[in-house]
């Protein structure tokens, strides 16, 4: 009588395919990390909940450099599932992978250059003849007067709480919405953005009055302030 063949439990593994993002650092690594930080600043959840593969084929790093790069990414809460394109070996690194295929899907973040902060400049007294005030990053406010022979150049608007007798250019940072305000209108020259008017071009009907100056349709306009 033949005994039945013994049976054994079977341990089975099945293949799975998951989507992952691939990060491919470029040299110099410091500049690449700075670009990554800028992207994370604009999109803090860029890598949240996503699998990330680190492709270091363009760097061919030695083990210490690769360990440092993984640590830098980990400090930014980017967890690396595997490393592709590395030839070195190091204990404690994510597994090395091979045979990955690129896909048409990806993530891109447009990084705009940071604009300088807009600030205002306040001059407590008057701007005397011969003085020149240049403030390209914002508004200029003069609590006193602007004397004849003095000049102000501002990136934003200019406010003069006394007499305006000198030269003032507002919107010098290509800001056509800038304006000029003064308590007493007696200027030598005024400009907004790239348009300029001299005293001879302004007439005398507003002289001595409180006035505002602005751009409208490519022309400098004047009006008395109530």
């Amino acid at each position: 009588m033949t005994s039945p063949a013994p049976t054994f439990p079977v341990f089975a593994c099945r293949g799975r395919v998951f989507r992952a993002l691939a990060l491919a650092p470029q040299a110099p690594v410091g500049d690449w990390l700075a670009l990554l930080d800028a992207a994370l600043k604009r999109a803090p959840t860029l890598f949240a909940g996503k699998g990330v593969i680190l492709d270091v084929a363009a760097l061919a790093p030695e083990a210490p450099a690769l360990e440092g790069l993984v640590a830098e990414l980990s400090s930014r809460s980017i967890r690396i599932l595997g490393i592709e394109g590395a030839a070195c070996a190091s204990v404690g690194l994510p597994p090395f992978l091979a045979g990955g295929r690129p896909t048409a899907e990806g993530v891109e973040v447009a990084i705009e250059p940071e604009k300088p902060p807009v600030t205002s400049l306040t001059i407590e007294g008057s701007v005397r003849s011969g003085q020149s005030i240049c403030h390209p990053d914002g508004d200029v406010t003069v609590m006193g007067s602007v004397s004849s022979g003095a000049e102000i150049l501002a990136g934003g608007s200019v406010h003069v709480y006394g007499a305006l007798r000198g030269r003032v250019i507002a919107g010098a940072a290509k800001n056509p919405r800038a304006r000029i305000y003064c308590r007493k209108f007696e200027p030598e020259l005024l400009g907004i953005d790239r348009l300029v008017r001299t005293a001879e071009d302004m007439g005398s009907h507003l002289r001595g009055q409180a006035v505002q100056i602005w751009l409208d349709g490519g022309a400098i306009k004047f009006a008395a302030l109530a």
Side-chain angles (χ1 to χ4, degrees):
M1 182 176 178
T2 304
S3 300
T7 59
F8 301 95
V10 176
F11 176 78
C13 293
R14 293 181 175 85
R16 295 268 185 179
V17 176
F18 294 92
R19 298 183 185 277
L21 293 176
L23 275 180
Q26 304 292 321
V29 174
D31 292 348
W32 181 83
L33 287 172
L35 190 63
L36 173 63
D37 288 337
L40 290 173
K41 185 176 180 180
R42 288 186 60 85
T45 60
L46 180 61
F47 298 103
K50 297 181 177 70
V52 179
I53 303 300
L54 182 61
D55 181 358
V56 293
L59 299 178
E62 297 295 331
L66 183 55
E67 292 169 359
L69 178 57
V70 172
E72 288 282 358
L73 296 174
S74 177
S75 70
R76 293 163 172 81
S77 299
I78 301 175
R79 294 188 60 187
I80 303 301
L81 300 182
I83 299 174
E84 188 177 15
C88 60
S90 179
V91 177
L93 286 176
F96 286 5
L97 306 175
R101 297 187 302 274
T103 68
E105 298 181 13
V107 175
E108 293 184 354
V109 178
I111 302 173
E112 299 177 0
E114 293 188 5
K115 297 180 180 179
V118 175
T119 61
S120 60
L121 173 66
T122 299
I123 299 170
E124 296 294 341
S126 296
V127 183
R128 299 185 302 274
S129 179
Q131 281 189 294
S132 179
I133 306 296
C134 181
H135 185 65
D137 298 325
D139 295 354
V140 173
T141 300
V142 181
M143 304 305 295
S145 298
V146 178
S147 301
S148 177
E151 62 181 10
I152 295 176
L153 185 147
S157 298
V158 177
H159 307 256
V160 180
Y161 284 88
L164 170 52
R165 299 188 178 97
R167 301 180 295 274
V168 171
I169 295 179
K174 296 183 178 179
N175 178 8
R177 294 186 298 275
R179 294 194 175 206
I180 300 172
Y181 304 88
C182 67
R183 185 68 59 84
K184 190 175 182 180
F185 185 72
E186 298 177 349
E188 298 172 349
L189 178 146
L190 294 176
I192 297 179
D193 197 5
R194 288 163 289 183
L195 296 180
V196 175
R197 297 278 293 272
T198 62
E200 291 77 12
D201 301 325
M202 301 177 206
S204 59
H205 62 291
L206 293 174
R207 192 168 184 83
Q209 299 185 48
V211 172
Q212 65 169 320
I213 303 98
W214 73 99
L215 280 186
D216 183 12
I220 296 180
K221 301 290 186 177
F222 306 85
L225 286 171

